[in-house]
Amino acid sequence: MLVLTEELIELDIKAENAEDAIRKAGQLLVNAGLAEDRYVDAMVKGFQDVGPYIVIAPHIAFPHARPESGALGKGVSIVRLSEPVVFGHPSNDPITLVCALCGTDSTSHIEMLQALANLLRDEEKLNMIMNTATTKEDILSII
């Protein structure tokens, strides 16, 4: 099950690069009380250390960090970028949708990952999230 509220969604925002996009998605988790600032730093460090492994499909990235890196609750944030940014993935760049995951244990993390993957596997819903949704309410109604 996805824990997603309006405060965890931002549409059509600008990011300078991949790190900025990850930070913007992570800040929504912090603002919602689901993560500490250091969780966002850990997501960025994971991306810097391991590379674009968080790019799981064309135009979609799922940044995350280990629960002990400052996860306070379970949730996901969704950031749709106004202009795609390059994450360095050989075939799935550029990225438009950044979904930051935050779980307090490995089980919740995997459950959210599966729920999000199932949602985004639906081409009609994915198209609405990526292109036609104009409000946060639109996104919540799709999910």
Side-chain angles (χ1 to χ4, degrees):
M1 177 176 168
L2 291 176
V3 178
L4 183 65
T5 62
E6 283 188 31
E7 69 180 324
L8 291 166
I9 301 169
E10 287 291 340
L11 298 177
D12 304 325
I13 64 170
K14 183 169 177 49
E16 297 300 319
N17 52 41
E19 179 180 328
D20 189 34
I22 293 168
R23 288 196 180 280
K24 287 182 174 170
Q27 189 61 47
L28 295 177
L29 296 172
V30 172
N31 293 348
L34 296 173
E36 299 174 6
D37 287 333
R38 65 187 180 103
Y39 188 82
V40 179
D41 294 338
M43 288 194 304
V44 170
K45 184 171 181 352
F47 172 72
Q48 291 170 337
D49 290 350
V50 184
Y53 75 99
I54 59 174
V55 177
I56 52 88
H59 317 296
I60 302 171
F62 285 1
H64 55 277
R66 298 189 59 80
E68 60 270 22
S69 297
L72 301 173
K74 177 179 155 183
V76 60
S77 67
I78 294 178
V79 169
R80 185 176 71 195
L81 301 173
S82 58
E83 296 176 30
V85 297
V86 172
F87 274 59
H89 194 277
S91 58
N92 292 333
D93 267 339
I95 301 304
T96 302
L97 194 65
V98 182
C99 304
L101 300 169
C102 182
T104 54
D105 56 51
S106 61
T107 301
S108 64
H109 185 93
I110 290 170
E111 288 172 354
M112 285 188 297
L113 191 58
Q114 290 172 333
L116 200 52
N118 286 337
L119 169 70
L120 299 177
R121 201 173 294 138
D122 183 320
E123 288 186 29
E124 183 177 342
K125 289 180 179 179
L126 177 60
N127 181 51
M128 292 171 70
I129 292 169
M130 298 280 279
N131 301 303
T132 61
T134 59
T135 67
K136 296 176 182 182
E137 294 82 15
D138 290 344
I139 298 292
L140 290 174
S141 70
I142 295 166
I143 295 173

